[in-house]
Amino acid sequence: MCGICGFVDYKGLSGKAELIKMTSTLNHRGPDDAGGDVLNLPNFTLALGHTRLSIIDLSPAGHQPMNYKHLSIVFNGEIYNFQEIKNRKAMPPKTIIICLKNSAIVVRNVS
């Protein structure tokens, strides 16, 4: 089972070192890979961390956090019907399906 962690820091006191410490406490949940991003935004710092237990996708393409344009995600779980969603042809107008490997599918309405 994967593990996720993160923080929002409004005082600017936390960074990559704190995220690495947090993520390392999850090693028992996902021994196959680990990753993290720290975003220093104008009013706060945002961090996302992930440890990975590879089950379906064993490739490095499942590394997290996953990023697409201005979006980032850490995902803990499994979307069991990912093939059906990925191959779905009839979607409502103004809907984008973003496939970030087989375990993170984001549906976003762009209206």
Side-chain angles (χ1 to χ4, degrees):
M1 164 181 335
C2 300
I4 60 174
C5 64
F7 63 79
V8 176
D9 179 2
Y10 292 98
K11 295 183 179 181
L13 302 175
S14 303
K16 188 71 171 179
E18 287 73 23
L19 182 62
I20 290 170
K21 288 178 191 174
M22 292 172 69
T23 305
S24 69
T25 66
L26 303 173
N27 286 340
H28 66 285
R29 296 180 60 96
D32 299 325
D33 190 21
D37 287 341
V38 177
L39 307 169
N40 294 306
L41 302 169
N43 298 320
F44 59 92
T45 300
L46 172 69
L48 300 172
H50 184 267
T51 58
R52 179 177 176 210
L53 177 62
S54 301
I55 297 173
I56 292 178
D57 178 11
L58 306 179
S59 77
H63 180 79
Q64 294 189 47
M66 294 182 183
N67 303 294
Y68 176 80
K69 297 185 180 179
H70 66 284
L71 305 172
S72 295
I73 185 172
V74 288
F75 185 80
N76 183 14
E78 185 67 41
I79 299 174
Y80 293 100
N81 65 336
F82 70 90
Q83 291 288 8
E84 175 189 338
I85 294 170
K86 184 177 177 181
N87 297 324
R88 189 171 288 172
K89 303 286 187 221
M91 294 298 294
K94 296 187 179 180
T95 299
I96 297 173
I97 296 180
I98 304 164
C99 298
L100 302 172
K101 284 312 282 178
N102 64 8
S103 62
I105 297 173
V106 178
V107 179
R108 185 177 124 186
N109 187 333
V110 294
S111 59

